[in-house]
Amino acid sequence: DTAVSQTPKYLVTQMGNDKSIKCEQNLGHDTMYWYKQDSKKFLKIMFSYNNKELIINETVPNRFSPKSPDKAHLNLHINSLELGDSAVYFCASSSGAGSYEQYFGPGTRLTVT
Amino acid sequence: AQTVTQSQPEMSVQEAETVTLSCTYDTSENNYYLFWYKQPPSRQMILVIRQEAYKQQNATENRFSVNFQKAAKSFSLKISDSQLGDTAMYFCAFMKNYGGGADGLTFGKGTHLIIQP
């Protein structure tokens, strides 16, 4: 039973395309996040959602749009992909109350050619 | 804004040795959490240990322990009896405590730890 799952695990696409990465958690958590890990392994928060409401929106190009259809899902849609978007994208979730541990998904490696 | 600094890009030790990874942070917050995450080559992010800033006692999880110095804003990780499976990237991370738990983690740049047989 995977706690936080992401699909796909690998995504190769061309510049200018639009793509989505899906994230689902079966932990019953209220809060979900997207992080980006660049080629130098640096991890940075992009977005966080609490009960389907956007809480954090770091300085991210507006080509990136998170969508939370329900508390268990947080998808990331990227328009007009650029070479610099190549990275590993991690989804995470936390209960947000009492325990602040974030559970990470396996990551999606996005390669833009 | 807070920053997290890991000054050791890479470390290498022999199996069974003890190793300490350094982390310093800068914040004006008084209520926060600190974490060490491990990322093996599989790229899965694994929580190693967590420390609440209001607790003076250093956290311990089996072979892993921290030295938390709040005044110095230092949070080092000690791995005792290191094992080959400890080879990984280790990230120090900071999170403000707003009570709602929706804040994101601020990560350091990581330390690549290599355990030699």
Side-chain angles (χ1 to χ4, degrees):
Chain A
D1 289 349
T2 304
V4 182
S5 60
Q6 293 179 229
T7 52
K9 287 193 171 58
Y10 298 92
L11 183 54
V12 181
T13 188
Q14 292 184 327
M15 284 175 56
N17 285 348
D18 302 339
K19 290 293 179 186
S20 292
I21 305 172
K22 295 185 176 181
C23 177
E24 177 181 3
Q25 53 96 2
N26 62 8
L27 298 167
H29 287 167
D30 290 330
T31 307
M32 297 183 72
Y33 312 80
W34 278 108
Y35 290 87
K36 178 181 180 180
Q37 185 173 41
D38 64 22
S39 58
K40 295 184 179 177
K41 302 283 190 181
F42 184 59
L43 278 148
K44 188 172 167 61
I45 182 75
M46 299 174 71
F47 303 101
S48 80
Y49 267 74
N50 185 262
N51 275 319
K52 296 172 54 182
E53 180 184 347
L54 180 64
I55 303 298
I56 294 175
N57 183 356
E58 292 293 321
T59 307
V60 175
N62 57 15
R63 298 182 295 103
F64 290 79
S65 54
K67 286 184 171 54
S68 183
D70 55 57
K71 209 170 72 167
H73 296 85
L74 180 62
N75 303 324
L76 184 65
H77 189 76
I78 315 170
N79 289 327
S80 304
L81 278 155
E82 300 178 356
L83 293 176
D85 297 332
S86 294
V88 179
Y89 293 85
F90 286 96
C91 177
S93 74
S94 71
S95 66
S99 171
Y100 294 89
E101 178 178 350
Q102 294 188 16
Y103 294 79
F104 282 78
T108 295
R109 180 177 292 281
L110 172 65
T111 303
V112 183
T113 62
Chain B
Q2 48 280 333
T3 58
V4 177
T5 302
Q6 293 179 249
S7 57
Q8 305 148 314
E10 185 169 288
M11 296 185 72
S12 180
V13 299
Q14 296 293 123
E15 194 176 5
E17 289 183 347
T18 294
V19 60
T20 299
L21 308 184
S22 302
C23 174
T24 58
Y25 59 95
D26 190 23
T27 184
S28 58
E29 302 287 334
N30 191 49
N31 198 2
Y32 51 87
Y33 293 85
L34 294 163
F35 306 85
W36 279 98
Y37 277 87
K38 169 184 177 180
Q39 186 178 41
S42 66
R43 81 169 181 241
Q44 180 67 49
M45 294 292 289
I46 302 164
L47 178 66
V48 175
I49 200 163
R50 180 184 81 186
Q51 176 81 41
E52 292 89 340
Y54 62 85
K55 289 187 178 178
Q56 292 187 339
Q57 187 173 6
N58 289 326
T60 300
E61 289 286 343
N62 300 313
R63 298 183 295 109
F64 299 87
S65 61
V66 298
N67 183 1
F68 173 48
Q69 302 289 330
K70 190 173 183 180
K73 295 180 181 173
S74 170
F75 183 61
S76 61
L77 174 70
K78 185 172 86 170
I79 305 174
S80 303
D81 185 27
S82 57
Q83 300 174 0
L84 296 178
D86 295 333
T87 293
M89 283 290 290
Y90 286 81
F91 294 96
C92 180
F94 173 102
M95 187 175 79
K96 290 182 282 189
N97 181 5
Y98 281 144
D103 208 31
L105 292 161
T106 299
F107 285 94
K109 291 188 175 181
T111 296
H112 184 206
L113 176 64
I114 301 167
I115 309 298
Q116 304 277 7

